[in-house]
């Protein structure tokens, strides 16, 4: 028998509260969304981290952002090998079906996935180095960027690696033919952002200066 | 040169608004989260769909839910082949590092990914059948459930397949050794939910009745 | 011999019910809390009054609020005299150990402690005026606010004094060096609330208007 | 100007949810409580710890328990020196005004206050030993019990000290003349409980066996 438990009561109660307030006030919009389908303007790739909340930062309404969240906001390179690639499926759906106008990669400070990569590549996380570690194998996507990190304090190197996670995703995104086509047709732009959780600041990558600058 | 554009003005303006209001009012909490790390109670696996908004439904605060979002809220089976598996990495991080107490799979009505699976398996979506289609290969995870669908109207069969997407994830979750261990130690429970977007209703899977019942 | 009686049966029975239902459903979360420790976002100072229930009003889960409750939700001024100060110990633990982001003082209508202060200061409660009355000495913390009450009906003056109990606590909180330091570092904010029990309404103090306004 | 901030939005939203559901369904009871006053059957002294939730464990309704919460659920001895004693004020109000029938002291596992006492008395917490530490001075109430701890593992000694915190409160309660009088008149009983947070178990002190036994 399939294992599944009832929802904890505090969540049930909060759901009832939502239904009686937010839903009640927006019922026509939810019905509209159900009947007319979604037409988001942008896809956001962000981290699973519970402290990152793109809808809040951008005051986004239901229906605005198509959001994929994974560990460390990584997009792997185009690999059409007939295997299962969840992130690539999300990007393909957003670009070819929904035809979003923007692909936004949102990185953040204090990222546990990036820290794991840092420790693994430094030889300090044998667990992540095992071939059976999904987090380890996933963070391999960033190993070449670790190898290229400049000297510096661990803090500054970690921050740089968080930035590189965003840039790696941007770089990999253009290896997808449908992404490149949409960009060349002027239908799609890419954007690289990094959020400092404590300071609430947001930086945007500028290819001219090759730096993340505060917006 | 890496392709990256400035953020559209309307998002920049909204970010400024958020910084001056929500961030200003919650600065102390964001600093706490940055310094003390995240301690979420639950991981939620939900769809990238822009109309699904788990934080809103459950009145969740920053820091409460570790959220993975992919097409059709699917968790693939345990496959420790040393390859890149983004969803499995998210689950591993939540269960083994954050030690979340609940894994909640949240499906929803009008799911484009499930509709794609339905069309593909019905022979009506040749694009998705191509080996180069990431969405198609991803939705293969659900093909055996399509084959087992009962007779009925397309609407009822689609809804059933949306339910099956949730159950498939629950079934696959227990193939991960670290999920099973945490469950056996009483440290983790699984939960299957389905949200009707237009009606704002929420159903929870009950293994006794083998049905999704409104909560 | 120490005097202690068995728990009344009706409470034993309710505990059994809780164990078989709420605990059973949330076992994984309770184990998580036991192993991972508490990480509450806020400390709440509220009254012992059986009608005040902050967890319910805010849909709070176990683990969310560090709660100190005393008569009339009062925080005394900073008095580092090496004596025993229970309320100050609670505030110190919340701010310096748990590093909560918010200190919420929650007052309420029909407060027996505030009514006792009113009667005592009006000369109508000789019992409370005796030096041996703990309630009387505790409510002395509010006497200067009684002296400053505007003219009006007893009802309006009582309500004003309930508001002043909240403001007195807010005022005293900033006399604690560790509270002030955390506030200056942007790590802590103070909040003053007042709950009308019968009406179920909640007001929040606004320093600009110097009034409690409904939220 | 008094420092006070607006309530974080997520709490405002949850309050709206409570108002529209729990309050709406129980409005007549809340109005009754406001007009008729509180008539709780028991007073509970428990810890501020966010993981302890006596209302939940005993399925308590608004109006049932008069609850005092402080660090480590301690009641100091009777000290009628005309100074400010918050815990004593709570006990006095419950016994002499509300005439509760039961005084329940509820301790718990993983108690940070008790751990602090243990470390301080072991010489491992110089911060708590300073005369300016409110937590340290508060936990002095338990020092004599630390000195009397039997040999054993730290875990077993900590548990014993948590039990002793409950017994110390029971012992101090009978030093209050009004408590003793009510007990002698058969109007009041004392109860000592200890809750294991992870296991969800509850033990009750039995003066015959001098042990906490599971209920």
């Amino acid at each position: 028998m399939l294992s599944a438990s009832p929802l904890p009561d505090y969540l049930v109660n909060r759901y009832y509260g939502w239904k009686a307030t937010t839903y009640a006030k927006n019922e026509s919009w939810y019905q509209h969304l159900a009947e007319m389908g979604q037409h988001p303007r942008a896809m956001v790739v962000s981290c699973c981290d519970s402290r990152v909340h793109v809808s809040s930062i951008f005051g986004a309404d239901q229906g605005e952002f198509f959001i994929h969240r994974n560990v460390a906001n990584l997009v792997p390179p185009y690999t059409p090998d007939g295997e299962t690639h969840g992130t690539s499926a999300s990007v393909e759906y957003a670009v070819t079906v929904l035809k979003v106008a923007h692909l936004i990669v949102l990185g953040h400070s204090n990222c546990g996935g990036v820290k794991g990569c840092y420790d693994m590549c430094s030889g300090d996380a044998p667990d992540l180095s095992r071939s059976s570690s999904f987090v380890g194998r996933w963070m391999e996507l960033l190993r070449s960027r670790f190898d290229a990190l400049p000297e510096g304090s661990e803090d500054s190197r970690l921050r740089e690696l968080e930035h590189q996670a965003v840039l790696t995703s941007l770089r990999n995104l253009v290896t997808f033919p449908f992404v490149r086509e949409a960009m060349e047709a002027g239908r799609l732009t890419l954007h690289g952002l990094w959020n400092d959780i404590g300071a609430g600041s947001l930086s945007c990558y500028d290819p001219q200066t090759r730096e993340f600058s505060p917006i």
Side-chain angles (χ1 to χ4, degrees), chain A:
Chain A
M1 191 172 74
L2 220 151
S3 176
S5 304
L7 202 61
D9 286 346
Y10 83 105
L11 290 180
V12 172
N13 289 336
R14 288 198 200 158
Y15 161 71
Y16 290 154
W18 172 83
K19 186 80 189 286
T21 53
T22 304
Y23 175 77
K25 282 189 286 185
N26 296 280
E27 186 177 352
S28 59
W29 175 236
Y30 291 118
Q31 291 191 359
H32 174 103
L33 284 174
E35 285 161 25
M36 310 291 280
Q38 62 174 330
H39 299 87
R41 176 165 172 176
M43 173 180 185
V44 178
V45 178
S46 75
C47 187
C48 299
D49 193 302
S50 63
R51 299 166 295 179
V52 175
H53 201 334
V54 68
S55 302
S56 175
I57 290 178
F58 290 127
D61 189 23
Q62 249 88 332
E64 278 202 70
F65 291 143
F66 184 81
I67 304 175
H68 174 62
R69 296 178 69 167
N70 63 33
V71 172
N73 38 271
L74 290 172
V75 178
Y78 179 63
T79 315
D81 56 6
E83 297 296 323
T84 301
H85 297 287
T87 297
S88 305
S90 307
V91 174
E92 182 184 283
Y93 192 84
V95 175
T96 67
V97 178
L98 300 175
K99 299 192 193 305
V100 297
H102 310 291
L103 267 172
I104 300 171
V105 179
L106 173 64
H108 71 100
S109 65
N110 315 91
C111 181
V114 168
K115 180 66 163 61
C117 175
Y118 189 93
D119 291 344
M120 174 178 72
C121 297
S122 304
D124 296 337
D127 279 6
L128 294 174
S129 298
R130 292 203 319 258
S131 77
S132 62
S133 166
F134 293 111
V135 174
R137 300 299 57 68
W138 181 249
M139 296 311 303
E140 284 294 340
L141 291 167
L142 205 52
R143 182 184 284 273
S144 68
R145 310 322 301 168
F146 173 85
D147 295 338
L149 282 181
E151 295 292 306
S153 67
E154 180 172 309
D155 274 3
S156 69
R157 283 158 58 87
L158 273 171
R159 177 142 307 186
E160 177 61 22
L161 198 55
E162 287 167 356
H163 286 174
Q164 290 298 333
V166 175
L167 301 185
T168 295
S169 293
L170 292 180
R171 206 170 281 117
N172 287 340
L173 276 170
V174 294
T175 64
F176 288 77
F178 47 81
V179 170
R180 223 163 38 231
E181 277 166 36
M183 290 173 69
E184 283 161 7
R187 287 193 291 106
L188 180 70
T189 53
L190 306 191
H191 309 265
L193 301 177
W194 181 84
N195 170 227
D196 185 308
I197 288 175
S201 60
L202 197 62
S203 320
C204 184
Y205 182 71
D206 178 347
Q208 303 297 331
T209 64
R210 299 184 170 215
E211 284 182 358
F212 281 80
S213 312
I215 67 171

